[in-house]
């Protein structure tokens, strides 16, 4: 098994006794995990970067993906900061069409703190990545002994060690008494596979705009200027202010516009509300409803497809398919 280390809270230490920075190596972290030698897998560490997760890029993740794809290891673990962990895991889930498990984890408490959770998360992640039951399931986030499918998980709290949640589905499984337990058989995979096999870099602009109470249309137009596609996190079931509707339609004439919900739970609807700026009206103006995709995941999906040269009709079909609603 190979573990790829990118930095983050789990790898942080302090030089002044106060602030912390990512300084510890993967080997340092593995040496501090009790019980790791009891897992039936040979574990090796590869240090890819040592960054806080907000500074990670597509290049870091594509490097991890390419190394894993060419490796003969039986499973893989990505270790990084939690701020962008859900995005990294979902990006891997989109790219990874291999049956071998790919698990992402990290920590909320750095190693200088009482009750640091890094070692426990690493051990649980290794157990999942080594489990035959985890094959053919895509990528996961494993945290606090819970297993979350990458396509459903989100970070829900700034400080809690139970920050990762899957609002629409709940966890896919748990690690209990050293054993990996999934709640259901493997389902349909979300990997794009051959559709994006030519992607070596992602150099596209797909901004996310969250609709806000009373927000002017000037913000919308400024964000869309120069973009290749636009993701909106709308009110409720996928709505925007009525005074946005015409401008949204103009933008949708020149690029894909994807509507998601800013609520983080439940789908963007397709046929309930017909007011100006609601889903029926917006679809008539060319907007695609993102279903259960949240804005960050919709952005990644569209970005990867654009980078692969996918045409607009196929992008919109992929959004509907991965959105999983109607």
């Amino acid at each position: 098994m190979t573990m790829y280390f990118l930095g983050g809270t789990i790898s942080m230490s302090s030089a002044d006794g106060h602030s912390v920075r990512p300084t510890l190596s993967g080997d340092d972290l593995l040496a501090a995990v009790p019980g790791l030698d009891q897992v039936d897998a040979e574990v090796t560490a590869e240090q890819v970067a040592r960054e806080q997760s907000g500074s990670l890029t597509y290049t870091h993740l594509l490097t991890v993906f390419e190394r894993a794809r060419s490796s003969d290891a039986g499973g893989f673990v990505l270790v990084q900061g939690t701020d962008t962990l859900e995005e990294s895991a979902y990006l891997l889930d989109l790219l990874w069409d291999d049956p071998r498990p790919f698990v992402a984890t990290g920590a909320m408490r750095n190693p200088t703190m009482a009750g640091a959770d890094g070692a426990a998360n690493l051990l649980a992640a290794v157990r999942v990545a080594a489990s035959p039951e985890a094959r053919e399931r895509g990528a996961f986030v494993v945290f606090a002994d819970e297993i979350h499918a990458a396509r459903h998980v989100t970070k829900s709290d700034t400080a809690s060690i139970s920050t990762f949640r899957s609002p629409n589905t709940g966890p896919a499984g748990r690690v209990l008494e050293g054993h990996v337990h999934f709640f259901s058989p493997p389902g349909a995979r979300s990997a794009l596979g051959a559709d994006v096999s030519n992607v070596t870099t992602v150099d596209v602009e797909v901004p996310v705009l969250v609709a806000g109470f009373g927000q002017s249309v000037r913000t919308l137009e400024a964000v869309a200027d120069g973009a290749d596609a636009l993701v909106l996190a709308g009110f409720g079931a996928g709505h925007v202010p009525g005074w946005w509707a015409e401008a949204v339609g103009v933008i949708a004439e020149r690029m894909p516009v994807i509507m998601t919900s800013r609520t983080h739970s439940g789908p963007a609807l397709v046929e309930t509300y017909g007011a100006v700026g609601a889903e029926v009206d917006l679809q008539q103006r060319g907007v695609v409803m993102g279903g259960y995709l949240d804005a960050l995941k919709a952005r990644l999906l569209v970005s990867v497809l654009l980078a692969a040269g996918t045409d607009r009709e196929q992008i919109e079909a992929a959004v509907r398919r991965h959105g999983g609603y109607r």
Side-chain angles (χ1 to χ4, degrees):
M1 179 187 308
T2 303
M3 303 182 73
Y4 302 104
F5 289 83
L6 299 180
T9 295
I10 194 170
S11 65
M12 291 187 177
S13 64
S14 174
D16 59 11
H18 299 288
S19 61
V20 292
R21 295 183 179 182
T23 59
L24 301 176
S25 71
D27 288 329
D28 293 332
L29 295 172
L30 290 181
V33 179
L36 187 61
D37 58 346
Q38 298 174 23
V39 179
D40 186 20
E42 182 180 346
V43 181
T44 60
E46 291 191 22
Q47 195 74 45
V48 179
R50 199 174 278 116
E51 299 279 358
Q52 58 182 5
S53 65
S55 296
L56 295 175
T57 66
Y58 285 108
T59 299
H60 290 111
L61 270 295
L62 289 171
T63 298
V64 168
F65 169 71
E66 289 297 340
R67 289 190 186 185
R69 185 164 63 172
S70 61
S71 169
D72 59 2
F76 306 93
V77 178
L78 171 69
V79 184
Q80 67 160 74
T82 60
D83 284 354
T84 62
L85 185 62
E86 64 188 275
E87 290 165 277
S88 294
Y90 186 62
L91 180 58
L92 288 172
D93 197 54
L94 291 174
L95 298 173
W96 191 247
D97 59 354
D98 192 293
R100 294 173 293 177
F102 216 131
V103 176
T105 195
M108 290 298 290
R109 295 176 180 169
N110 71 74
T112 71
M113 299 175 68
D117 55 329
N121 288 338
L122 288 177
L123 183 58
V126 168
R127 282 176 168 151
V128 174
S131 171
E133 299 301 316
R135 292 178 62 84
E136 302 284 3
R137 294 178 184 263
F140 300 102
V141 168
V142 172
F143 222 90
D145 286 338
E146 291 185 338
I147 307 168
H148 293 270
R151 60 189 175 275
H152 297 306
V153 72
T154 188
K155 185 177 181 180
S156 66
D157 191 278
T158 61
S160 171
I161 61 173
S162 299
T163 183
F164 286 99
R165 293 281 185 266
S166 297
N168 289 303
T169 64
R174 298 181 69 183
V175 181
L176 295 167
E177 297 183 321
H179 297 279
V180 175
H181 174 64
F182 284 94
F183 299 146
S184 60
R189 294 289 302 278
S190 60
L192 297 170
D195 294 339
V196 296
S197 60
N198 63 328
V199 173
T200 58
T201 186
V202 180
D203 186 19
V204 296
E205 195 64 45
V206 183
V208 171
L209 177 60
V210 180
F213 178 84
Q215 197 168 36
S216 79
V217 75
R218 295 193 304 274
T219 303
L220 169 68
E221 292 170 335
V223 169
D225 184 36
D228 298 297
L230 176 65
V231 176
L232 298 172
F235 305 124
H239 307 152
V240 297
W243 57 86
W244 279 24
E246 184 177 350
V248 168
V250 171
I251 294 167
E253 289 177 358
R254 66 178 192 267
M255 71 179 73
V257 177
I258 313 304
M259 175 59 70
T260 66
S261 173
R262 69 179 194 175
T263 63
H264 301 294
S265 181
L269 298 180
V270 296
E271 62 179 10
T272 298
Y273 295 98
V276 175
E279 71 269 12
V280 174
D281 174 64
L282 292 174
Q283 288 172 100
Q284 292 171 348
R285 299 177 190 270
V287 174
V288 176
M289 307 307 286
Y292 284 100
L293 288 171
D294 64 30
L296 297 179
K297 292 181 175 62
R299 173 182 174 269
L300 288 171
L301 173 61
V302 172
S303 296
V304 170
L305 290 170
L306 283 171
T310 310
D311 66 39
R312 178 167 179 168
E313 184 177 349
Q314 291 175 310
I315 289 173
E316 294 179 350
V319 168
R320 294 187 182 97
R321 184 171 66 254
H322 287 259
Y325 179 72
R326 303 294 297 277

